[in-house]
Amino acid sequence: MEVTEEDVGSRQVHTDCQRVLLETECFSEPGANIDLGMQPEIEKEELHEELAKLEEEISALRQTLIAKEKHLVEIKQKMGITPLNEIKHNLSKSWHDMQTSVIYKKTQETFNNTGQKASAAINNVSSTLTKKLGDMKNSTTFKSFEERMETTVSSLKCKVGGVPANSGGSFEDVLNSAANASVQESSLGYRHTEDFGPF
């Protein structure tokens, strides 16, 4: 096959067209610039305009939000709702929600059961101690100790209060007589120090 000048020229045109088509396709994808010199400037201007527009919208939304918050405060004031009342209401609601929760109910049941068991154990210990003390009081050892104490109290009465040993009386009587004797001695001792003058 013989290649003519016309064939070479048409191939050249065909190759040039393919190159132009490829370049156009590459730059026509999103984010690609066809005209590298002018496109970034136009795009920057558009982005600046969009940025300014968004900032204006945000500012307008903030102003709207502030106005609505002020209106909300006014309505609450008219209704008599103060910040303190809101806090109380929120705490009350939270407390109620907590009390109705499953975990709180289970914990409360556990504490109740533990309290009942502890109360029963304390009652059991108390009755056991009472019984043991009663048994001990009726024992021969305790009775012997009680008799010795009575003898000691009687002899103390004789020595301290000058009360005869067989006069009887309680331990409280002995303490009272000892206290009276002590008061008498201290008042006598005070008088003696007055006679000698200040130290």
Side-chain angles (χ1 to χ4, degrees):
M1 213 192 245
E2 199 176 297
V3 178
T4 61
E5 229 179 75
E6 203 175 282
D7 288 336
V8 171
S10 83
R11 284 185 186 164
Q12 180 73 26
V13 169
H14 182 66
T15 306
D16 288 341
C17 286
Q18 283 179 337
R19 187 172 43 87
V20 169
L21 283 173
L22 283 175
E23 286 177 2
T24 306
E25 285 177 11
C26 288
F27 290 118
S28 64
E29 290 179 12
N33 296 324
I34 296 172
D35 186 11
L36 297 175
M38 290 298 283
Q39 189 62 26
E41 294 282 331
I42 294 171
E43 192 174 321
K44 283 181 182 178
E45 287 178 23
E46 288 176 358
L47 289 174
H48 281 294
E49 288 174 8
E50 188 176 348
L51 180 65
K53 186 178 177 183
L54 283 173
E55 287 176 346
E56 286 177 23
E57 288 176 4
I58 290 170
S59 177
L61 288 172
R62 281 189 184 135
Q63 291 173 355
T64 304
L65 180 63
I66 290 170
K68 289 191 181 260
E69 286 176 344
K70 285 181 182 178
H71 186 64
L72 176 74
V73 169
E74 290 171 1
I75 290 173
K76 285 182 178 181
Q77 285 176 348
K78 287 179 183 177
M79 293 177 66
I81 300 172
T82 63
L84 183 61
N85 288 346
E86 284 186 84
I87 291 171
K88 286 180 184 177
H89 174 72
N90 289 342
L91 288 175
S92 175
K93 186 178 183 307
S94 298
W95 178 249
H96 179 266
D97 292 346
M98 186 186 73
Q99 284 181 325
T100 57
S101 71
V102 174
I103 294 171
Y104 180 84
K105 288 180 180 178
K106 286 183 179 179
T107 305
Q108 188 177 22
E109 287 175 13
T110 303
F111 280 139
N112 287 341
N113 291 339
T114 304
Q116 289 172 353
K117 289 177 183 177
S119 177
I122 289 170
N123 286 339
N124 189 18
V125 168
S126 175
S127 64
T128 303
L129 281 175
T130 304
K131 184 177 182 250
K132 290 289 183 184
L133 286 174
D135 292 347
M136 193 169 81
K137 188 175 180 182
N138 293 331
S139 72
T140 56
T141 307
F142 187 78
K143 287 186 178 185
S144 171
F145 176 74
E146 189 176 26
E147 288 173 2
R148 286 186 196 155
M149 284 300 292
E150 286 177 4
T151 306
T152 305
V153 168
S154 297
S155 67
L156 279 174
K157 281 183 184 179
C158 283
K159 291 178 182 176
V160 174
V163 180
N166 56 6
S167 68
S170 67
F171 184 69
E172 188 177 322
D173 293 337
V174 172
L175 288 178
N176 287 336
S177 66
N180 288 335
S182 174
V183 168
Q184 288 174 356
E185 285 178 10
S186 66
S187 66
L188 291 174
Y190 180 71
R191 286 187 193 145
H192 289 294
T193 56
E194 283 180 351
D195 293 339
F196 294 114
F199 290 100

